[in-house]
């Protein structure tokens, strides 16, 4: 039978074996989510999207939309705005930057796009006509 002091020594030795070596960071238990993943709202509050993985890249789907945004999308040829993929094929190309494609439902067109994470709660989303030229941007807010 183990005494209390033997049990404490045994548990301490087991813990020491499981601990990383000094100066070595512990391995993560699961992949960390991309910092862009989550729920985001456009500046006017008319659309909320959910950004999540789609294969090895990121995409963003409309989660909620105002009646006006839904009507504008229908006028542009998008009959069902909720669930529409607005952001597609975004890949990280720098520490806080991603490039991909943005769909603008009220005109029914896709544009080259880039997203820059300003801070944890704000991202600048730009749609461009010519790669990174002739861009229009908005600051979206994390929910």
């Amino acid at each position: 039978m183990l005494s209390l002091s033997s049990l404490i020594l045994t548990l301490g030795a087991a813990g020491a074996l499981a601990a990383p070596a000094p100066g070595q960071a512990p391995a993560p238990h699961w992949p960390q989510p991309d910092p862009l993943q989550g729920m985001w709202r456009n500046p006017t509050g008319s659309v909320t999207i959910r950004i999540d993985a789609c294969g090895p890249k990121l995409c963003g789907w409309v989660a909620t939309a105002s009646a006006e945004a839904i009507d504008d999308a229908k006028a542009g040829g998008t009959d069902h705005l909720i669930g529409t993929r607005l952001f597609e094929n975004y890949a990280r190309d720098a520490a806080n930057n991603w490039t991909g494609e943005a769909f603008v439902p009220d005109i029914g067109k896709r544009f080259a796009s880039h997203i820059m994470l300003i801070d944890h709660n704000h991202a600048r989303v730009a749609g461009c006509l010519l790669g990174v030229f002739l861009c229009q941007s908005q600051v979206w807010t994390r929910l």
Side-chain angles (χ1 to χ4, degrees):
M1 181 166 197
L2 286 174
S3 69
L4 182 58
S5 60
S6 310
L7 182 60
I8 291 171
L9 286 173
T10 303
L11 291 175
L17 291 174
Q24 180 182 7
H29 296 321
W30 58 85
Q32 298 296 313
D34 190 287
L36 205 55
Q37 286 179 277
M39 297 292 286
W40 294 85
R41 180 181 55 226
N42 71 349
T44 63
S46 62
V47 173
T48 301
I49 63 166
R50 178 180 50 86
I51 295 179
D52 209 345
C54 57
K57 298 191 177 181
L58 294 176
C59 296
W61 296 267
V62 177
T64 65
S66 69
E68 184 179 355
I70 291 170
D71 289 344
D72 289 347
K74 281 183 184 175
T78 303
D79 291 330
H80 303 287
L81 184 57
I82 307 294
T84 296
R85 191 182 296 185
L86 292 189
F87 296 167
E88 193 165 30
N89 295 320
Y90 281 82
R92 188 185 292 222
D93 57 3
N96 289 318
N97 292 287
W98 294 258
T99 56
E101 243 181 29
F103 176 64
V104 181
D106 49 334
I107 60 173
K109 296 198 183 278
R110 294 191 178 281
F111 296 94
S113 174
H114 57 274
I115 299 174
M116 180 186 77
L117 195 61
I118 299 168
D119 59 37
H120 178 73
N121 293 315
H122 299 93
R124 182 172 308 283
V125 178
C128 308
L129 289 177
L130 302 170
V132 295
F133 300 105
L134 300 174
C135 300
Q136 183 174 4
S137 68
Q138 301 177 328
V139 174
W140 288 54
T141 304
R142 185 185 302 274
L143 297 179

